[in-house]
Amino acid sequence: MIDLRIKVEPLPIVDPLIVRLRNEADDLGPNDAVLIGTDGARREYDFQGFSLTLHATDGVALDNDVIMVLPGQASARRLIRADSQHNTFLITEQCDQLCIMCSQPPKKNHVDLFAELETAASLAPANAYIGLSGGEPLLHKKKLFDMLLSLARTRPDLKFHILSNGVNQHRTLTPFAYPILTPLCCRSALGLPGAGRGCRG
């Protein structure tokens, strides 16, 4: 089982925090936290002069992983596992379908984390391939494509795969899709599993 969440000791934050975990203090950026001590499963990092303490399973490599810490939560999400070629961002839990084979029933509310996800992607290792899933990520296509366009400029080495149900999105996709076709050519793919088979509105 892959640990996609890591226990984190409470932090006095009011906004989501994106952090890249580093074992060495070389060429640090504003989102980098440096490992300063370990004690069994406990790992303490220095993040901008503050202590960030995680509790991870022994043997789990975290160097260059990118995590998101949300206010009031006791675990951090591992958005980017640096030693994996398969990382996926959950764009939304909203969906316009009720697919019978879906293991994740849709939720009504959407938590907008596009700014945080863009920051996380910008910290990914070179030539990373990132999946964008949901829910139905194309329900928020304007912000999604704005994020992809921005990353195409700042991180042209990244590749993306958008997983969509493909239902009802083609009618409104074209006006947003044209501006991204050129800068994202050959670096993005749109997956349509079943193209709506077994789904109902």
Side-chain angles (χ1 to χ4, degrees), residues 82-101:
D83 63 352
S84 175
Q85 297 181 17
H86 306 283
N87 292 289
T88 299
F89 291 169
L90 179 67
I91 298 297
T92 184
E93 293 186 85
Q94 290 180 322
C95 190
D96 56 355
Q97 302 298 308
L98 295 171
C99 300
I100 58 175
M101 70 290 194

Side-chain angles (χ1 to χ4, degrees), residues 1 6 12-13 39 46 65 69 73 79 105-106 136 139 167 175 193:
M1 172 92 47
I6 301 175
I13 58 174
D39 183 10
D46 174 34
D65 278 12
V69 184
Q73 292 197 3
L79 296 178
E136 175 48 61
L139 288 176
V167 179

Side-chain angles (χ1 to χ4, degrees), residues 20-34 64 123:
R20 180 170 55 186
L21 305 174
R22 305 286 299 277
N23 287 351
E24 305 291 337
D26 60 320
D27 194 25
L28 298 178
N31 292 89
D32 289 333
V34 181
N64 284 312
L123 298 170

Side-chain angles (χ1 to χ4, degrees), residues 1-6 21 23 35 38 40-41 43 45 54-65 67 78 81-83:
M1 172 92 47
I2 300 172
D3 289 329
L4 296 179
R5 288 188 178 266
I6 301 175
L21 305 174
N23 287 351
L35 184 66
T38 61
R43 304 184 198 188
Y45 293 82
L54 307 176
H55 296 266
T57 306
D58 286 344
V60 173
L62 297 178
D63 190 31
N64 284 312
D65 278 12
I67 63 171
R78 284 174 83 188
R81 291 171 292 123
D83 63 352

